[in-house]
Amino acid sequence: DAGVTQSPTHLIKTRGQHVTLRCSPISGHKSVSWYQQVLGQGPQFIFQYYEKEERGRGNFPDRFSARQFPNYSSELNVNALLLGDSALYLCASSPDRGHSGTEAFFGQGTRLTVV
Amino acid sequence: SQQGEEDPQALSIQEGENATMNCSYKTSINNLQWYRQNSGRGLVHLILIRSNEREKHSGRLRVTLDTSKKSSSLLITASRAADTASYFCATADSWGKLQFGAGTQVVVTP
């Protein structure tokens, strides 16, 4: 079975541009979460979606948005990129309504560099 | 902001030795999980311990949880070079939102 897949793996963008990151969860998983990991730090929660509805949002500006599609895949959009948005963006999926009581399965991440 | 703090930040040991790392957190939890990350890529789930459990084992891993002290520890016994990685604890609320600590970098030398 395929694990969580993220695309692209690497991305270089210029300040002010926008970016779309994509995530396909494990087949049958309905919950998808996004995390930002800045170099040298632990992942920070950005969004959680379950059954196409937003179930949680972390402390990130409105430049960050996301959605989940009927096939449970998800997109993370970031507008007006700043240098500080450079990070590894991780997507995680889980079979139930959240990761509560179950493990989260992470993709390999998208490395975003803003120049 | 980080929910948990791992201690130590870095750990260097030789193969065959045990590695112990600790995690402290601030708020009430549904469960606590430990993850491993190699070379800044995806995280791999190691073990989950629920708030009503005190100790759990999985292969060479042993996790303890003390909810009164809001702390957990991860013990890796008989370490191998392949255990070289960053280890993160993460607390989960009732919806499963994960809050990670800053991690412990473990280097195991042959």
Side-chain angles (χ1 to χ4, degrees):
Chain A
D1 285 341
V4 177
T5 57
Q6 292 186 243
S7 64
T9 55
H10 294 83
L11 201 54
I12 299 176
K13 289 287 190 177
T14 304
R15 278 179 298 176
Q17 289 187 316
H18 76 273
V19 68
T20 298
L21 310 181
R22 296 179 174 83
C23 172
S24 293
I26 291 173
S27 178
H29 285 194
K30 299 180 179 180
S31 177
V32 171
S33 295
W34 287 94
Y35 294 83
Q36 180 197 62
Q37 186 177 23
V38 174
L39 192 63
Q41 297 182 18
Q44 294 276 340
F45 172 77
I46 309 176
F47 286 109
Q48 181 185 48
Y49 277 79
Y50 177 72
E51 287 282 15
K52 291 154 284 182
E53 290 189 13
E54 182 181 307
R55 294 297 182 181
R57 184 187 181 111
N59 188 25
F60 280 80
D62 292 343
R63 299 184 296 107
F64 288 76
S65 63
R67 54 180 176 168
Q68 187 177 33
F69 298 99
N71 66 353
Y72 303 111
S73 67
S74 179
E75 284 182 354
L76 175 70
N77 295 283
V78 186
N79 294 324
L81 285 167
L82 304 174
L83 295 179
D85 295 331
S86 295
L88 180 68
Y89 288 85
L90 295 161
C91 173
S93 77
S94 173
D96 61 15
R97 67 172 191 167
H99 306 315
S100 173
T102 64
E103 64 185 279
F105 295 81
F106 282 83
Q108 290 301 298
T110 293
R111 174 78 60 187
L112 172 65
T113 301
V114 182
V115 298
Chain B
S1 61
Q2 304 279 178
Q3 154 76 311
E5 295 181 4
E6 279 98 338
D7 171 54
Q9 291 184 333
L11 184 60
S12 183
I13 57 175
Q14 292 191 319
E15 270 190 328
E17 294 181 336
N18 295 341
T20 300
M21 57 209 86
N22 304 294
C23 167
S24 60
Y25 57 92
K26 300 172 184 173
T27 61
S28 61
I29 61 172
N30 181 282
N31 64 70
L32 186 143
Q33 304 178 30
W34 286 87
Y35 287 82
R36 184 185 73 220
Q37 186 177 40
N38 292 85
S39 302
R41 300 307 291 178
L43 286 87
V44 175
H45 182 266
L46 296 176
I47 197 164
L48 180 153
I49 186 166
R50 302 183 196 285
S51 59
N52 61 352
E53 297 176 311
R54 292 297 169 257
E55 187 171 313
K56 205 161 183 180
H57 296 254
S58 177
R60 295 184 295 112
L61 305 179
R62 172 178 170 259
V63 168
T64 63
L65 179 64
D66 187 336
T67 53
S68 66
K69 295 181 179 178
K70 290 186 168 58
S71 67
S72 174
S73 68
L74 171 67
L75 168 67
I76 305 173
T77 61
S79 62
R80 306 165 181 169
D83 294 328
T84 295
S86 292
Y87 292 82
F88 294 91
C89 70
T91 56
D93 63 13
S94 59
W95 261 104
K97 170 186 168 183
L98 294 174
Q99 288 189 283
F100 289 86
T104 295
Q105 284 189 302
V106 176
V107 175
V108 182
T109 55

